[in-house]
Amino acid sequence: MPSRHCRRAFTSLEVVLIVVFTLMTAVITGLFAVLALEQKAVQDVQYNPEKPQTRYWIGVGRGDCTGPAADLPLMGYANPNQVAGGLHMRLFSRAFIVSDGSKRVVFVSVDIGMVSQRLRLEVLNKLQMKYGHLYSQDNVVLSGTHTHSGPAGYFQYTLFMLTSKGYLKESITAIVNGIVESIDRAHDNMKEGRIFINKGREETSSLNRSPHAYLNNPAEERKRYTSNTDKDLIVLRFTDMDGDGIAALSWFAVHPVSMNNTNLMISSDNMGYASYLFEEEKNTGSLPGEGPFVAAFSSSNLGDASPNTKGPHCINTGESCDSLDSSCPVGGPNMCMAMGPGLDMFESTKIIGENIYKKAKEIYRTAKHEVSGPIHFAHQWVNMTDVTVQVNSTHTAKTCKPALGYSFAAGTIDGVGGLNFSQGSLEGDPFWDGIRDALLGVPSNETKDCHSPKPILLNTGEMNQPLPWHPAIVDVQIITIGSLAVVAVPGEFTTMSGRRLREAVKKELESNGNMEHMEVVLAGLCNVYTHYISTYEEYQVQRYEGASTIYGPHTLSAYIQLFRGLARAIATNTVNHLPKGPQPPFFCDKQLFTLMFSNQPDKKPTNTSFGDVLMQVRPSYRVGEVADVTFVSGNPRNSVTRMKTFLTIEKYDNATDKWEVVHNDASWETRFHWKKEKVGRSNATIEWHIPHSTLPGIYKIRHFGHYKELVALKPVVKPYEGSSDIFKVDK
């Protein structure tokens, strides 16, 4: 008989254990299944290309705001010798409109030094005329990239007008028109789409230019961060419903001062070059400034962040001058300058711009976390000269009337002041105090005490002739798109100031339970310019940033308090209960002054015409060389509203027997230099830095412009153009 395999009976204990084990297995299996489903749901929220969580309508647009390329001061370094004489790269306004069907917000990044109060008010006036109350001070944010190579002249306060040759209508008109054009295009192009957010670190493009002030912040606070500048690069990827990219919007904290204070050409600097590269890649076959894809690189808390990564050195000896007063043994503070990373300002602009672009491109490509949720916004006007700050449970402090300290006149390692003032000054100077007192008046004891330990050089808050020297009424504003909050700050926050403000706003938004996992970004130089905002501890050191914190040592605390109030109102849905605050002044044009008048009629050499060539190109070039040609020209100010480019680089197409435009004056490879000669004459030199990617062939350089002449004693502006000889380009 076959053998039988007999089993013994299970004991009661074994039966119980088997049942328990079976139940536990089933429970664990179920838990894993539930977790897997939950994880998949999370992944669907973040990555699923099929199901957006919130329906957004998105519009993007670009507008040219370059302005006059001649005679105007450039805004940023306050260098009276830095007067525009040509064009390196055009300036653009880039607008982003997002609507959730109920509310909409507008964010505009503009290639200018900063947004002034006058500029914002004029833009809002034009928008109201076109759109009624659809776009207003509540839901429109205007942010300057902070290039120091854009035209000045768009301010209404005396200090800025004095350093800008006054209020210059042709300058502000070009900027206003460019901003409104970008918003118009975004408005007209709105369609359903999606927004994804991502961030990474760009480690190589900034250093702290005031490390001695930064080190005065509490050690425990500094230990929380790995760097003394913010390295985070935040990118929004905008797509249509098919997943095709339509725009990128980025924030990064670095000064666009790779183009230094010897530059005389209008330029969007490193951040503008990053936009140029991104748009060039996405808008294949389009010239710069054209094509549907829009890429903006916006400013953030860049107050002490420099792109000049070689650091400060004495330009006469080469030794380091990274000291509290940034001074050199020979030549003093005027010899202490930061440079790099390139051999000249063009190479440095290129390197920093490429660094930021490449990192942003990587972040954009991998952005899979979708922004979802309703849109909110909150705005107030505030009298920043009289804000009471709750320092702790028992003590309060107040902001001050505006004033600038001695170290303001020293400038920075990115651009020295030129009058031998030193950074870190905690005492005044009898000589300069005497000049100030005689010309501008003696600062009151109240202002002196309020700003202590700042030694006051300019007591601007007590100076109101012919108009107030500084703004008192300031915008504070936050917009939120789902889990993204954009804090629009009216000036240059230092690294640590920005960190404190971001942290406070995030905590306030999330504390009420309605908003979770908020990503808070600071958008710099928004809506009105109020110089710098340092921390209380940095203020005590009185480097340039502290000396330029115009509302006193408690400025940051006041802004944190105000922005927390906006965040709380958004989180609790009580924005309608916020007081609007006192409206800022809008001075009529007759009250504003100008120190620059209309350009005179243009003259030309005998037996020549405008557009004639004075210095011709060579017959042939190789890639990597520079082709240049000089023309008889008119003043570029004649052409501000009349054309889109001063030049073209054109290649002959054998197949079509036509000339094809391959570059214009917005191209990185071209430079337009304008030089004023005697008796109303001028000439224009166009350079083409022939890139290695250039195809061999036959080329020519064309120049376009306008000249002014008197006809029956009245000025008449007429167009002209000229062309170089043809020339050959070989590898």
Side-chain angles (χ1 to χ4, degrees):
M1 293 182 60
S3 61
R4 299 175 59 187
H5 299 277
C6 300
R7 292 185 303 178
R8 63 178 178 81
F10 290 111
T11 66
S12 299
L13 178 59
E14 288 173 323
V15 171
V16 171
L17 288 173
I18 289 171
V19 171
V20 171
F21 177 80
T22 303
L23 289 172
M24 288 181 64
T25 301
V27 169
I28 292 171
T29 302
L31 283 172
F32 275 119
V34 170
L35 287 171
L37 288 172
E38 289 183 349
Q39 180 64 29
K40 185 178 186 304
V42 170
Q43 290 176 342
D44 286 344
V45 170
Q46 295 183 353
Y47 307 119
N48 185 1
E50 303 300 330
K51 295 183 67 175
Q53 298 301 300
T54 303
R55 293 168 64 91
Y56 290 127
W57 282 262
I58 299 167
V60 299
R62 186 192 310 103
D64 190 327
C65 59
T66 301
D71 295 338
L72 303 205
L74 299 183
M75 185 66 205
Y77 292 111
N79 179 355
N81 297 318
Q82 195 181 18
V83 177
L87 181 62
H88 176 224
M89 298 179 72
R90 282 197 171 264
L91 310 182
F92 293 100
S93 171
R94 296 173 172 90
F96 303 79
I97 303 177
V98 182
S99 169
D100 63 3
S102 175
K103 297 178 181 177
R104 65 176 58 196
V105 290
V106 184
F107 183 87
V108 181
S109 178
V110 196
D111 290 332
I112 55 175
M114 60 284 290
V115 173
S116 74
Q117 190 171 80
R118 179 65 179 219
L119 175 62
R120 174 170 165 82
L121 293 174
E122 292 205 15
V123 168
L124 292 175
N125 286 342
K126 289 198 74 170
L127 291 176
Q128 185 176 27
M129 291 173 62
K130 283 194 171 191
Y131 301 104
H133 297 293
L134 184 63
Y135 302 118
S136 70
Q137 74 273 1
D138 294 329
N139 66 343
V140 175
V141 176
L142 305 181
S143 174
T145 62
H146 203 38
T147 175
H148 284 42
S149 295
Y154 52 94
F155 295 82
Q156 67 173 6
Y157 293 101
T158 299
L159 179 69
F160 303 122
M161 286 195 286
L162 286 174
T163 60
S164 303
K165 291 188 179 179
Y167 174 76
L168 308 178
K169 195 67 176 178
E170 58 191 299
S171 178
I172 192 169
T173 298
I175 301 172
V176 169
N177 289 345
I179 293 173
V180 173
E181 180 184 19
S182 69
I183 295 173
D184 286 343
R185 289 179 174 175
H187 177 88
D188 293 340
N189 292 332
M190 291 188 74
K191 58 185 176 181
E192 195 170 358
R194 304 170 72 175
I195 306 171
F196 300 85
I197 188 170
N198 197 13
K199 66 180 177 181
R201 290 179 65 81
E202 169 45 45
E203 302 280 0
T204 62
S205 297
S206 65
L207 61 74
N208 193 303
R209 70 185 187 188
S210 287
H212 298 277
Y214 180 88
L215 286 171
N216 210 44
N217 291 308
E220 288 302 313
E221 182 179 34
R222 287 186 281 111
K223 286 179 182 177
R224 295 168 52 197
Y225 305 99
T226 59
S227 175
N228 59 7
T229 60
D230 275 347
K231 305 296 186 181
D232 282 348
L233 175 57
I234 298 172
V235 179
L236 298 184
R237 177 163 64 94
F238 297 86
T239 75
D240 60 21
M241 294 307 293
D242 295 325
D244 295 325
I246 59 176
L249 174 55
S250 308
W251 289 272
F252 185 64
V254 69
H255 258 77
V257 290
S258 294
M259 300 295 290
N260 63 40
N261 63 5
T262 67
N263 170 52
L264 302 182
M265 292 185 291
I266 290 174
S267 175
S268 54
D269 212 292
N270 47 43
M271 297 292 264
Y273 185 51
S275 290
Y276 171 90
L277 290 172
F278 214 137
E279 291 179 348
E280 180 183 51
E281 179 193 333
K282 294 294 185 179
N283 295 318
T284 305
S286 297
L287 290 169
E290 301 175 4
F293 190 93
V294 175
F297 286 78
S298 303
S299 59
S300 190
N301 53 319
L302 49 64
D304 49 3
S306 168
N308 294 309
T309 52
K310 289 182 180 178
H313 290 82
C314 300
I315 58 176
N316 51 353
T317 65
E319 61 187 305
S320 173
C321 50
D322 189 10
S323 57
L324 175 60
D325 60 357
S326 296
S327 188
C328 295
V330 179
N334 287 336
M335 292 291 109
C336 184
M337 291 283 291
M339 299 180 185
L343 297 177
D344 59 29
M345 59 183 170
F346 297 100
E347 186 179 13
S348 292
T349 300
K350 188 173 187 291
I351 292 171
I352 296 297
E354 282 183 345
N355 288 348
I356 297 170
Y357 153 69
K358 287 177 180 177
K359 178 56 67 172
K361 177 182 173 182
E362 172 193 326
I363 297 168
Y364 175 92
R365 180 178 55 81
T366 57
K368 296 180 180 178
H369 181 80
E370 186 163 6
V371 176
S372 64
I375 287 173
H376 300 287
F377 47 81
H379 170 275
Q380 281 183 303
W381 285 301
V382 179
N383 182 354
M384 275 300 293
T385 71
D386 189 28
V387 177
T388 299
V389 178
Q390 193 72 40
V391 178
N392 53 43
S393 59
T394 59
H395 291 81
T396 61
K398 293 191 71 174
T399 54
C400 315
K401 293 180 180 179
L404 291 162
Y406 265 71
S407 296
F408 162 76
T412 73
I413 59 173
D414 293 325
V416 297
L419 291 175
N420 221 37
F421 286 86
S422 296
Q423 294 198 66
S425 297
L426 294 175
E427 295 181 357
D429 179 273
F431 174 76
W432 290 109
D433 283 352
I435 292 177
R436 176 203 62 206
D437 296 349
L439 297 178
L440 305 174
V442 182
S444 67
N445 289 332
E446 176 189 359
T447 297
K448 289 180 181 178
D449 292 342
C450 189
H451 280 273
S452 179
K454 176 196 292 179
I456 294 175
L457 179 64
L458 297 173
N459 49 315
T460 54
E462 298 174 331
M463 298 158 61
N464 295 295
Q465 298 299 325
L467 291 169
W469 281 50
H470 264 143
I473 309 303
V474 173
D475 298 69
V476 290
Q477 184 180 23
I478 297 177
I479 61 174
T480 65
I481 305 170
S483 57
L484 170 71
V486 179
V487 181
V489 297
E492 303 178 57
F493 275 60
T494 62
T495 299
M496 195 62 84
S497 291
R499 288 167 175 170
R500 291 183 189 177
L501 179 58
R502 275 200 306 263
E503 189 174 72
V505 169
K506 180 178 174 66
K507 182 177 180 181
E508 197 68 52
L509 288 171
E510 295 178 348
S511 63
N512 291 278
N514 297 324
M515 309 179 84
E516 296 180 344
H517 309 298
M518 296 297 294
E519 183 68 56
V520 179
V521 299
L522 255 63
L525 301 124
C526 293
N527 301 336
V528 55
Y529 185 59
T530 63
H531 294 266
Y532 284 73
I533 299 90
S534 65
T535 68
Y536 178 86
E537 295 83 0
E538 291 164 351
Y539 187 93
Q540 308 307 308
V541 179
Q542 282 297 292
R543 290 274 295 178
Y544 176 83
E545 295 80 17
S548 304
T549 299
I550 62 173
Y551 300 116
H554 301 288
T555 300
L556 174 60
S557 296
Y559 277 126
I560 289 175
Q561 183 172 290
L562 292 165
F563 280 108
R564 284 185 64 187
L566 297 184
R568 187 181 311 116
I570 288 174
T572 58
N573 199 27
T574 56
V575 171
N576 290 336
H577 298 162
L578 288 172
K580 288 295 183 184
Q583 291 193 29
F586 185 88
F587 302 115
C588 68
D589 286 2
K590 292 181 180 179
Q591 293 176 277
L592 307 173
F593 64 85
T594 181
L595 303 176
M596 192 180 83
F597 303 98
S598 297
N599 55 297
Q600 296 301 307
D602 296 292
K603 305 293 184 182
K604 55 186 175 57
T606 306
N607 298 323
T608 67
S609 299
F610 291 102
D612 283 356
V613 173
L614 295 174
M615 186 184 72
Q616 194 57 265
V617 293
R618 303 200 316 253
S620 64
Y621 295 89
R622 292 190 178 277
V623 296
E625 294 185 323
V626 179
D628 60 326
V629 56
T630 300
F631 298 90
V632 177
S633 74
N635 192 315
R637 290 171 64 188
N638 300 325
S639 304
V640 173
T641 61
R642 294 180 172 90
M643 65 183 200
K644 292 297 185 181
T645 185
F646 289 108
L647 65 93
T648 56
I649 310 296
E650 301 183 13
K651 182 180 185 296
Y652 180 69
D653 188 332
N654 287 308
T656 62
D657 192 28
K658 292 182 179 179
W659 289 92
E660 177 190 1
V661 176
V662 293
H663 299 294
N664 59 17
D665 66 9
S667 300
W668 171 262
E669 296 83 0
T670 61
R671 297 175 194 173
F672 172 71
H673 300 275
W674 179 76
K675 184 178 180 181
K676 184 182 291 186
E677 303 288 354
K678 296 179 180 178
V679 294
R681 296 178 184 175
S682 65
N683 58 60
T685 298
I686 295 171
E687 296 177 0
W688 178 29
H689 293 248
I690 306 172
H692 288 276
S693 59
T694 302
L695 296 175
I698 302 300
Y699 292 83
K700 66 180 179 181
I701 300 173
R702 298 180 69 194
H703 168 47
F704 307 90
H706 294 80
Y707 66 93
K708 180 189 291 187
E709 66 177 3
L710 292 179
V711 177
L713 300 180
K714 293 183 179 180
V716 176
V717 175
K718 297 181 179 180
Y720 71 87
E721 61 181 74
S723 177
S724 74
D725 290 343
I726 63 173
F727 56 93
K728 186 179 181 182
V729 174
D730 290 316
K731 289 292 186 181

